[in-house]
Amino acid sequence: MAPSTSTNPLLSPAELSYLHTSLSLTPPLRPDARTTTQFRSLIAETSILPSTNGSARICFADGTEAIVGVKAEVEKSPKRGFYDDEEHIRTGGEDAEQDADQRAKGKGENKWVEMTIEIPGFRDDDALPIFVAAMLNEALLSTGDLAEKLYINDRWHWKLCIDILLLSPPLSPPIPLLSLTTHLALLSTRLPALISDLNDDPLFNDDWDASVPLYPRSEPPGNPSKRLAYSRKSTFSSRPPITLLVAAVGGNILFDPSPKELCVADTLLAVSVCANPSPILTNRLNLLSIRTMDPPSRQTHPGTPDAHNPVTGGGVGEDGGLRGGGTSVGGEQGVWRPPLGGMKRDLISKIIDMVTREGGVGEEVLKGLEGVDVD
């Protein structure tokens, strides 16, 4: 269970009960009049930080803002052995590039990606930054695609440093904001073009206009000057993962819940998905991870039913019973009670289907991020 990550809005038990009832209706009435799958508006831009290989900024409608910078540097790899097919690799042309692609399979290492997160009001060793970094790293490295992109040859590789900064205190769990910002920063990341032979010490082109994106939007050009040892035959489906926050209130599923909605959420899930690398087989997104989180609603104060409230004529009588006809605190309808327990399996299956299916919520978010200019 993830640690609590936000400060609860100041809502009375009566307001919490009213909000929970509104969100439990069919269809639910959200405070900002959004539909169940509609996201809040945001501002996104890329390439905002100088001296970085890629960067992005996203600001949510509630004022929560994050900046991500990506920096790449060349490191020497531990010795792997002798190069038996060096002459074959040096033959040049498309066949050599295909051989390089095959040589990189399984040779990328997760330690080549380093992520740091700074959240206002939290130390680096607090539970929240550690949990968020672990979740984002888990989704980012689960496919192995990114690590393989950093492979140059058996002696050299790229070291990718991802620095994430949340500029304002979190009003709600910051995982979706940081995930989307990291996604855009990696899409805008470019690496210098390799101009040396594949197994020589790497020599790169100084012209930044000749650099190659880490996640190209189309097949890389055939110009040998832009061919990279770490460049794989990327397709449109090769994209960084995203993590979405999903709340359940009653039997309703709410995407991108607001801070007020989180105060009455029964359960909360963080779902990480990525595009399918083999869209010919299936158009569904790949489910990378799904984690339950502790919703802020569990930290709210319960309401007091009239049967226990002396102001309304309730309380405990002389005989030890409840005045006002009350019999059970938990049975009072319309009285707020913090939720207990987890999410049912059929509800989890429904959330996964809504996120991963063709034309679902996950695909809509990825298409929206594709519309951001990263050049």
Side-chain angles (χ1 to χ4, degrees):
M1 185 73 71
S4 177
T5 59
S6 60
T7 302
N8 296 338
L10 298 178
L11 298 177
S12 66
E15 292 173 317
L16 294 173
S17 177
Y18 175 79
L19 183 57
H20 186 274
T21 302
S22 300
L23 295 176
S24 300
L25 299 176
T26 305
L29 298 178
R30 306 183 73 170
D32 47 12
R34 289 183 292 149
T35 62
T36 56
T37 59
Q38 187 176 358
F39 284 70
R40 290 169 290 177
S41 60
L42 56 84
I43 300 174
E45 56 182 338
T46 60
S47 304
I48 62 172
L49 297 179
S51 304
T52 59
N53 294 82
S55 60
R57 166 187 170 268
I58 287 183
C59 181
F60 274 179
D62 59 3
T64 309
E65 184 177 0
I67 291 180
V68 175
V70 180
K71 189 70 175 177
E73 58 183 14
V74 177
E75 280 191 350
K76 195 166 185 177
S77 304
K79 188 175 181 180
R80 297 177 180 269
F82 298 99
Y83 308 108
D84 299 330
D85 54 349
E86 180 176 354
E87 292 301 326
H88 183 62
I89 293 297
R90 291 176 182 272
T91 56
E94 185 176 352
D95 293 339
E97 187 173 348
Q98 291 176 356
D99 291 338
D101 295 341
Q102 294 299 325
R103 287 162 60 88
K105 292 294 184 181
K107 292 190 176 181
E109 300 182 13
N110 291 343
K111 64 181 180 180
W112 296 351
V113 180
E114 181 179 316
M115 180 180 295
T116 59
I117 297 180
E118 293 187 13
I119 300 178
F122 292 86
R123 293 163 45 98
D124 293 340
D125 55 353
D126 284 342
L128 176 59
I130 294 176
F131 171 78
V132 173
M135 173 169 284
L136 296 180
N137 256 319
E138 178 186 40
L140 190 61
L141 302 176
S142 59
T143 61
D145 179 61
L146 177 58
E148 290 185 358
K149 290 176 179 290
L150 304 179
Y151 174 86
I152 299 178
N153 55 40
D154 286 343
R155 290 176 293 172
W156 301 93
H157 66 269
W158 287 102
K159 177 66 175 293
L160 209 63
C161 299
I162 305 175
D163 297 320
I164 303 175
L165 175 61
L166 187 64
L167 298 181
S168 54
L171 302 177
S172 59
I175 292 178
L177 171 62
L178 302 184
S179 174
L180 299 182
T181 312
T182 303
H183 179 98
L184 285 180
L186 290 174
L187 283 184
S188 67
T189 298
R190 304 181 68 90
L191 300 177
L194 185 70
I195 58 178
S196 59
D197 289 330
L198 297 182
N199 276 330
D200 290 344
D201 289 346
L203 181 62
F204 300 98
N205 194 332
D206 292 335
D207 186 6
W208 186 250
D209 292 334
S211 61
V212 178
L214 183 63
Y215 287 92
R217 297 203 173 193
S218 60
E219 291 292 333
N223 188 349
S225 64
K226 288 193 174 184
R227 178 172 53 83
L228 296 171
Y230 50 82
S231 177
R232 309 296 147 236
K233 290 293 185 179
S234 301
T235 62
F236 185 80
S237 60
S238 177
R239 289 292 178 268
I242 58 174
T243 300
L244 305 179
L245 203 63
V246 188
V249 181
N252 294 326
I253 298 174
L254 307 178
F255 286 86
D256 188 29
S258 65
K260 289 185 178 180
E261 293 170 340
L262 290 173
C263 287
V264 296
D266 296 331
T267 51
L268 190 62
L269 291 181
V271 184
S272 300
V273 295
C274 71
N276 194 330
S278 301
I280 297 179
L281 301 178
T282 175
N283 289 325
R284 297 181 68 93
L285 300 181
N286 280 352
L287 178 65
L288 301 178
S289 67
I290 181 168
R291 287 178 178 256
T292 60
M293 301 183 63
D294 199 3
S297 56
R298 304 194 180 210
Q299 300 178 0
T300 57
H301 294 285
T304 302
D306 290 342
H308 280 200
N309 191 350
V311 178
T312 58
V316 180
E318 297 179 356
D319 57 353
L322 296 177
R323 290 200 298 262
T327 57
S328 173
V329 175
E332 289 283 348
Q333 186 176 4
V335 178
W336 169 248
R337 286 288 177 267
L340 300 175
M343 182 178 293
K344 295 182 179 180
R345 294 184 179 180
D346 57 344
L347 198 57
I348 295 178
S349 300
K350 185 178 179 181
I351 292 176
I352 294 176
D353 179 70
M354 293 178 65
V355 175
T356 61
R357 69 188 177 195
E358 183 179 2
V361 178
E363 185 175 323
E364 290 183 3
V365 174
L366 289 175
K367 287 183 178 180
L369 294 174
E370 284 292 330
V372 180
D373 186 14
V374 296
D375 295 330

